């Protein structure tokens, strides 16, 4: 072991588990790509005010969890705690919204940082794949995103997850509700900090997990009873579209989410095998965010799915992904001359697009064959002095156990024939 360890709340992705992470990222992004979302990549850090304004001054993410730094030049930056504000900032900066084809649909994948209390499933460095549809108010877009996320989890073989759905209203009806909720909260027996939170952002109090607070919230007014007609109709249309797609969801009238930019549709994917950190993904509509960060009105909707928690969910359900072996061919050479010949063949096979590995380090036949087995390769190539004298390379099909000598010139065809 070295003197150093990965920082608290972080961990390293190493083989073979790391292959599952890649497969999860691929499965999620495949859904976004299949629906016309283009890839976007933004910096790992941004102006701290982008998140303060976008995610919200009163959220835990901004007040407690951001990794902030001042550069030598005096700029105030933050490691990105989430992707939506950055992606919208990038789209505005590149004027993507002015190029005539709204919505602008973008997907991304990367690392995010939150200084959270570290525990199982909750890390300070974690991975998300996200999708954002910018610049259109259309319930079919909200439905599309929910259906795509559902399909991503399904394609991975997950079954024990649930979709929670709610509407948070818009700038017409939410303020009325906010007042009603505030009046209700003022009458409760709450600590100082919670009372302060009730004044700044009363909806966040609904998300309080403490039992004594939850008990008092039972009779809290519900946003559903305050939704304006436009929000009600919009929400009904989203519900109808995802129902028609056969996606099962639950109405969760207290779902508020941890970021302030949401309006109307909000949803969360929760997995029942994960304990306290059960949200494997979440998202919703954020019609006001663009204006909050200095842009024009651009109603938008999106989600981010947590790669770490999705992998934990797969493990909790005992789902084994059908991962292709990283290596198709493993070459075992005994003796200097054979090494030179086979190393050349390895390069040739790789150039032909066949994933091939080689017995490095001058091991004997037994040790090298062990490596060949461990690699999961379908084919082992073996050459020693006697093979060279006979002008052949032994080609062993590791599945059937069958082995036959092949002339070096005919090797590529022989390998292709076995791999199909
Ligand atoms: P979020 O709910 O904060 O939403 O994060 C989305 C997902 O990221 C969570 O459901 C969870 O799986 C994962 N995640 C969040 N924090 C952690 C953590 N500390 N450790 C491990 N996994 C974590 C957003 O970030 C929004 N930007 C989603 C969105 C996109 N809304 C609209 N567009």
């Amino acid at each position: 072991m070295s003197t150093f360890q990965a920082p608290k709340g972080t961990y390293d992705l190493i083989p073979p588990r790391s292959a599952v992470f890649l497969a999860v990222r691929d499965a999620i992004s495949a859904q976004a790509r299949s629906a016309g979302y283009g890839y976007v990549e933004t910096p790992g850090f941004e102006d701290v005010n982008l998140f303060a304004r976008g995610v919200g001054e009163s959220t835990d993410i901004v007040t407690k969890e951001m990794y902030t730094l001042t550069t030598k030049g005096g700029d105030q930056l933050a490691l990105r705690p989430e992707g939506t504000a950055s992606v919208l900032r990038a789209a505005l900066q590149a004027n993507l919204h002015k190029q005539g084809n709204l919505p602008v649909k973008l997907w991304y994948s990367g690392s995010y940082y939150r200084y959270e209390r570290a525990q199982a499933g909750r890390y300070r460095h974690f991975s998300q794949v996200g999708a954002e549809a910018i610049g259109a108010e259309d319930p079919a877009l909200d439905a599309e995103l929910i259906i795509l996320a559902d399909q991503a989890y399904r394609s991975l073989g997950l079954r024990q997850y649930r979709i929670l759905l709610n509407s948070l209203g818009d700038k017409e009806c939410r303020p009325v509700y906010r007042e009603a909720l505030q009046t209700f909260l003022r009458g409760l027996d709450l600590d100082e900090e919670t009372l302060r939170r009730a004044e700044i952002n009363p909806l966040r109090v609904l998300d309080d997990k403490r039992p004594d607070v939850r008990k008092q919230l039972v009779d809290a007014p519900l946003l559903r009873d305050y939704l304006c007609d436009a929000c009600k109709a919009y929400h009904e249309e989203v519900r109808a579209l995802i129902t028609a797609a056969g996606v099962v969801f639950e109405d969760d009238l207290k779902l508020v989410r941890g970021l302030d930019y949401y309006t109307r549709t909000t949803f969360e994917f929760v997995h029942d095998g994960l304990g306290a950190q059960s949200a494997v993904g979440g998202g919703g509509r954020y019609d006001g965010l663009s204006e909050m960060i200095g842009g024009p009105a651009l109603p938008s909707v999106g989600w981010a799915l947590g790669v770490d928690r999705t992998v934990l969910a797969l493990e909790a359900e005992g789902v084994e992904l059908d991962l292709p072996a990283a290596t198709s061919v493993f070459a075992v050479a005994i003796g200097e001359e054979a090494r030179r010949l086979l190393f050349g063949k390895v390069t040739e096979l790789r150039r032909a697009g066949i994933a091939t590995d080689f017995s490095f380090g001058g091991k004997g036949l037994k040790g090298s064959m062990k490596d060949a087995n461990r690699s999961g390769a379908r084919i082992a190539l073996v050459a020693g002095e006697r093979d060279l004298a006979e002008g052949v390379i032994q080609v062993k099909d590791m599945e059937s156990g069958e082995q036959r000598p092949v002339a070096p010139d005919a090797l590529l065809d022989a390998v292709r024939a076995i791999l199909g």
Side-chain angles (χ1 to χ4, degrees):
M1 193 157 43
S2 94
T3 321
F4 301 103
Q5 304 262 310
K8 188 171 173 192
T10 73
Y11 63 104
D12 303 306
L13 285 180
I14 44 182
R17 200 166 173 255
S18 52
V20 180
F21 277 74
L22 285 182
V24 166
R25 283 195 188 120
D26 276 355
I28 299 172
S29 70
Q31 295 303 323
R33 283 179 280 133
S34 79
Y37 289 72
Y39 181 63
V40 62
E41 193 164 321
T42 64
F45 48 81
E46 297 268 0
D47 185 323
V48 69
N49 290 313
L50 173 67
F51 302 117
R53 279 205 237 159
V55 176
E57 304 270 12
S58 74
T59 59
D60 281 353
I61 293 180
V62 167
T63 56
K64 300 182 190 158
E65 297 170 4
M66 269 205 300
Y67 283 89
T68 53
L69 61 124
T70 308
T71 65
K72 290 194 176 74
D75 294 331
Q76 299 274 337
L77 302 177
L79 297 188
R80 57 184 182 189
E82 63 105 41
T84 308
S86 307
V87 167
L88 186 53
R89 195 264 314 133
L92 291 171
Q93 188 175 332
N95 279 323
L96 295 185
H97 60 294
K98 289 189 184 157
Q99 289 162 20
N101 42 349
L102 294 176
V104 175
K105 302 212 282 187
L106 300 168
W107 76 272
Y108 52 96
S109 168
S111 296
Y112 297 86
Y113 306 87
R114 293 182 194 174
Y115 190 74
E116 299 209 64
R117 212 156 36 78
Q119 63 182 87
R122 193 207 264 157
Y123 309 108
R124 292 179 175 176
H125 165 266
F126 58 95
S127 231
Q128 290 182 342
V129 176
E132 314 288 351
I134 296 165
E137 188 187 282
D138 182 343
L141 209 47
D142 308 43
E144 166 176 288
L145 280 155
I146 294 170
I147 294 165
L148 290 174
D150 179 67
Q151 192 52 35
Y153 290 127
R154 254 168 211 288
S155 73
L156 285 164
L158 281 179
R159 292 293 174 267
Q160 291 160 26
Y161 63 88
R162 291 177 292 128
I163 303 173
L164 310 179
L165 183 70
N166 195 17
S167 171
L168 290 182
D170 64 6
K171 58 178 188 283
E172 301 303 320
C173 53
R174 180 117 58 103
V176 184
Y177 170 67
R178 201 185 128 101
E179 282 235 12
L181 182 60
Q182 252 166 355
T183 308
F184 171 83
L185 293 174
R186 284 182 197 127
L188 301 183
D189 179 20
L190 299 169
D191 59 274
E192 282 287 309
E193 196 191 328
T194 313
L195 282 173
R196 210 173 318 121
R197 173 170 282 179
E199 293 310 314
I200 307 170
N201 189 351
L203 268 77
R204 300 266 341 117
V205 180
L206 292 182
D207 209 22
D208 202 307
K209 300 283 187 291
R210 290 169 297 180
D212 58 312
V213 178
R214 293 215 74 81
K215 225 175 7 194
Q216 300 188 67
L217 291 174
V218 172
D219 295 325
L222 291 171
L223 185 45
R224 184 188 52 187
D225 301 325
Y226 290 78
L227 288 183
C228 59
D229 287 344
C231 284
K232 251 188 241 166
Y234 194 95
H235 196 56
E236 280 317 309
E237 185 60 14
V238 174
R239 294 176 80 254
L241 288 169
I242 56 179
T243 303
V247 173
V248 179
F249 62 92
E250 297 168 22
D251 291 306
D252 182 347
L253 304 181
K254 289 203 168 131
L255 180 73
V256 290
R257 312 244 323 114
L259 306 95
D260 277 355
Y261 48 60
Y262 290 113
T263 50
R264 292 193 168 171
T265 314
T266 45
F267 51 88
E268 215 155 74
F269 286 74
V270 293
H271 193 277
D272 292 326
L274 292 189
Q277 304 307 316
S278 62
V280 288
R285 185 155 270 288
Y286 47 95
D287 292 341
L289 179 56
S290 174
E291 287 153 296
M292 276 148 71
I293 62 170
L298 278 176
S300 306
V301 57
W303 48 242
L305 311 188
V307 178
D308 310 76
R309 288 189 196 162
T310 303
V311 171
L312 291 174
L314 288 169
E315 289 168 357
E317 279 197 44
V319 178
E320 297 242 355
L321 298 183
D322 189 17
L323 301 174
T327 312
S328 303
V329 177
F330 195 98
V332 172
I334 309 301
E336 263 320 298
E337 216 178 315
R339 275 174 68 79
R340 225 166 287 135
L341 173 74
L342 269 195
F343 189 72
K345 287 292 161 194
V346 164
T347 304
E348 191 183 318
L349 290 173
R350 287 178 184 157
R351 285 181 178 153
I354 297 166
T356 306
D357 203 354
F358 184 67
S359 58
F360 291 101
K363 284 182 199 164
L365 181 63
K366 218 170 128 193
S368 298
M369 285 310 286
K370 237 189 219 165
D371 290 347
N373 265 318
R374 212 175 295 140
S375 76
R378 171 73 193 271
I379 297 169
L381 306 178
V382 186
E385 260 169 51
R386 197 185 325 149
D387 302 303
L388 287 192
E390 289 169 12
V392 298
I393 294 168
Q394 301 293 336
V395 177
K396 181 171 182 181
D397 184 335
M398 303 292 272
E399 225 169 81
S400 66
E402 221 171 280
Q403 180 173 317
R404 67 186 184 90
V406 172
D409 284 349
L411 185 69
L412 184 57
D413 288 341
V415 164
R416 279 197 173 125
I418 297 176
L419 295 178

